[in-house]
Amino acid sequence: KAGVTQTPRYLIKTRGQQVTLSCSPISGHRSVSWYQQTPGQGLQFLFEYFSETQRNKGNFPGRFSGRQFSNSRSEMNVSTLELGDSALYLCASSSGTGRETQYFGPGTRLLVL
Amino acid sequence: TQLLEQSPQFLSIQEGENLTVYCNSSSVFSSLQWYRQEPGEGPVLLVTVVTGGEVKKLKRLTFQFGDARKDSSLHITAAQPGDTGLYLCAGPHGSGNTGKLIFGQGTTLQVKP
């Protein structure tokens, strides 16, 4: 079974631009969660999508948004990028029906200049 | 607010030594998970502990869940250079039926040959 894939793996943007990251979950998984990882804050939850609906949301500003498609693939978008948005963005997938394991993708490394 | 505190934050040891990493909280968690992350990659699940007092072994790694389900520990026996990485504990937010995980800050382990 293929694992969670994320594209692109690396991205360089400048302040004020916007960016879209993509996540393809493990086949059959309906839940996709997004996390931001930085050296100072560690791993912080952004949001979770289940069956195309946002089911849970972390404490991030509205510049961070996401969506999920009918095939469970998910995208997250960050508008008006700030230097502090530089981070590793991770997505994780699970079946979403209980307290099951989340499987993480390799992440997208975003650098904002 | 559910928080997980890990200690120590950094650990540098010689090959063959033993070590223990701690993950503590003032909140009760329905389960706790331990992940290992290597640079540029996503976290990989090592184990999930569910029952208070539970002990699980994975080769040279021993995981324990506290009786009150507020803390956990990871013990590595005879550490090897291949054990080098970032170790993260995580627990599900709230009742655990959503895809939101709370992460500890992580323990960076370096095992020198």
Side-chain angles (χ1 to χ4, degrees), chain A residues 7-14 18-22 81 86-87 89 108-113:
Chain A
T7 57
R9 290 293 309 274
Y10 305 94
L11 209 46
I12 300 175
K13 292 285 186 179
T14 55
Q18 74 165 18
V19 67
T20 299
L21 312 181
S22 180
L81 284 166
S86 295
Y89 290 89
T108 294
R109 173 74 63 184
L110 172 64
L111 177 61
V112 182
L113 301 174

Coordinates of all heavy atoms in Angstrom, one line a residue, chain A residues 7-14 18-22 81 86-87 89 108-113:
Chain A
T7 N 3.2 17.0 -2.1 CA 3.9 17.7 -3.1 C 3.6 19.2 -3.0 O 2.5 19.6 -2.5 CB 3.4 17.3 -4.5 OG1 2.0 17.4 -4.6 CG2 3.8 15.9 -4.8
P8 N 4.6 20.1 -3.3 CA 6.0 19.7 -3.6 C 6.7 19.4 -2.3 O 6.2 19.6 -1.2 CB 6.5 20.9 -4.3 CG 5.8 22.1 -3.6 CD 4.4 21.5 -3.3
R9 N 7.9 18.9 -2.4 CA 8.7 18.6 -1.2 C 9.4 19.9 -0.7 O 9.6 20.0 0.5 CB 9.8 17.5 -1.5 CG 9.2 16.1 -1.7 CD 8.6 15.5 -0.5 NE 9.5 15.6 0.7 CZ 10.4 14.7 1.0 NH1 10.6 13.7 0.2 NH2 11.1 14.9 2.1
Y10 N 9.7 20.7 -1.6 CA 10.4 22.0 -1.2 C 9.8 23.1 -2.0 O 9.4 23.0 -3.1 CB 11.9 21.9 -1.5 CG 12.6 20.7 -0.8 CD1 12.8 19.5 -1.5 CD2 13.0 20.8 0.5 CE1 13.4 18.4 -0.9 CE2 13.6 19.7 1.1 CZ 13.8 18.5 0.4 OH 14.4 17.4 1.0
L11 N 9.8 24.3 -1.3 CA 9.2 25.5 -1.9 C 9.8 26.7 -1.3 O 10.0 26.8 -0.1 CB 7.7 25.4 -1.6 CG 6.7 26.1 -2.5 CD1 6.9 25.7 -3.9 CD2 5.3 25.6 -2.0
I12 N 10.1 27.6 -2.2 CA 10.7 28.9 -1.8 C 9.7 30.0 -2.3 O 9.4 30.1 -3.5 CB 12.1 29.2 -2.3 CG1 13.0 28.1 -1.8 CG2 12.6 30.6 -1.8 CD1 14.4 28.2 -2.3
K13 N 9.2 30.9 -1.4 CA 8.3 31.9 -1.7 C 8.8 33.2 -1.1 O 9.7 33.2 -0.2 CB 6.9 31.6 -1.3 CG 6.2 30.5 -2.0 CD 5.8 30.9 -3.3 CE 5.0 29.8 -4.0 NZ 4.5 30.2 -5.4
T14 N 8.2 34.3 -1.5 CA 8.6 35.6 -0.9 C 7.4 36.1 -0.1 O 6.2 35.7 -0.4 CB 9.0 36.7 -2.0 OG1 8.0 36.8 -2.9 CG2 10.3 36.2 -2.6
Q18 N 1.2 33.7 -2.1 CA 0.4 32.7 -1.5 C 1.0 31.3 -2.0 O 1.7 31.3 -3.0 CB -1.1 32.8 -1.9 CG -1.4 32.4 -3.3 CD -2.9 32.3 -3.5 OE1 -3.7 32.7 -2.7 NE2 -3.3 31.6 -4.6
V19 N 0.6 30.3 -1.3 CA 1.1 28.9 -1.6 C 0.0 27.9 -1.4 O -0.8 28.0 -0.5 CB 2.4 28.6 -0.8 CG1 2.0 28.5 0.7 CG2 3.1 27.4 -1.3
T20 N 0.1 26.9 -2.2 CA -0.8 25.7 -2.1 C 0.0 24.4 -2.0 O 0.8 24.2 -2.9 CB -1.8 25.6 -3.3 OG1 -2.6 26.8 -3.4 CG2 -2.7 24.4 -3.1
L21 N -0.3 23.7 -1.0 CA 0.4 22.4 -0.8 C -0.6 21.3 -0.9 O -1.8 21.4 -0.6 CB 1.0 22.3 0.7 CG 1.8 23.6 1.1 CD1 2.3 23.3 2.5 CD2 2.9 23.9 0.2
S22 N -0.1 20.1 -1.4 CA -1.0 19.0 -1.7 C -0.7 17.8 -0.9 O 0.5 17.5 -0.6 CB -1.0 18.7 -3.2 OG -1.9 17.6 -3.5
L81 N 1.9 35.4 2.6 CA 2.9 34.7 3.4 C 3.7 35.7 4.2 O 4.1 36.8 3.8 CB 3.8 33.9 2.4 CG 3.3 32.6 1.9 CD1 4.1 32.1 0.7 CD2 3.2 31.6 3.0
S86 N 7.6 30.1 7.5 CA 8.7 29.2 7.1 C 8.6 28.0 8.0 O 8.7 28.2 9.3 CB 10.0 29.8 7.1 OG 10.2 30.8 6.1
A87 N 8.4 26.8 7.5 CA 8.2 25.6 8.3 C 8.2 24.4 7.5 O 8.2 24.4 6.3 CB 6.9 25.7 9.1
Y89 N 5.6 21.5 6.7 CA 4.2 21.3 6.7 C 4.0 19.8 6.5 O 4.3 19.3 5.4 CB 3.4 22.2 5.7 CG 3.4 23.6 6.2 CD1 4.5 24.5 5.8 CD2 2.5 24.1 7.0 CE1 4.5 25.8 6.2 CE2 2.5 25.4 7.4 CZ 3.5 26.3 7.0 OH 3.6 27.6 7.5
T108 N 6.3 19.0 3.4 CA 6.7 20.1 2.4 C 7.5 21.1 3.2 O 7.0 21.7 4.1 CB 5.5 20.7 1.7 OG1 4.9 19.8 0.9 CG2 6.0 21.9 0.8
R109 N 8.7 21.4 2.8 CA 9.5 22.4 3.4 C 9.3 23.7 2.7 O 9.7 23.8 1.6 CB 11.0 22.0 3.4 CG 12.0 23.0 3.8 CD 12.0 23.2 5.3 NE 12.5 21.9 6.0 CZ 12.5 21.8 7.3 NH1 12.1 22.8 8.1 NH2 12.9 20.7 7.9
L110 N 8.7 24.7 3.4 CA 8.4 26.0 2.9 C 9.4 27.0 3.5 O 9.5 27.1 4.7 CB 7.0 26.4 3.2 CG 6.6 27.8 2.8 CD1 6.7 28.1 1.3 CD2 5.2 28.1 3.4
L111 N 10.0 27.7 2.6 CA 10.9 28.8 3.0 C 10.4 30.1 2.5 O 10.1 30.3 1.3 CB 12.3 28.6 2.5 CG 13.4 29.7 2.8 CD1 13.5 29.9 4.3 CD2 14.7 29.4 2.2
V112 N 10.1 31.1 3.3 CA 9.6 32.4 2.9 C 10.7 33.4 3.1 O 11.2 33.6 4.2 CB 8.3 32.8 3.8 CG1 7.8 34.1 3.3 CG2 7.3 31.7 3.7
L113 N 11.0 34.1 2.0 CA 12.1 35.1 2.0 C 11.5 36.5 2.0 O 10.4 36.7 1.5 CB 13.0 34.9 0.8 CG 13.7 33.5 0.7 CD1 14.5 33.3 -0.6 CD2 14.6 33.2 1.9

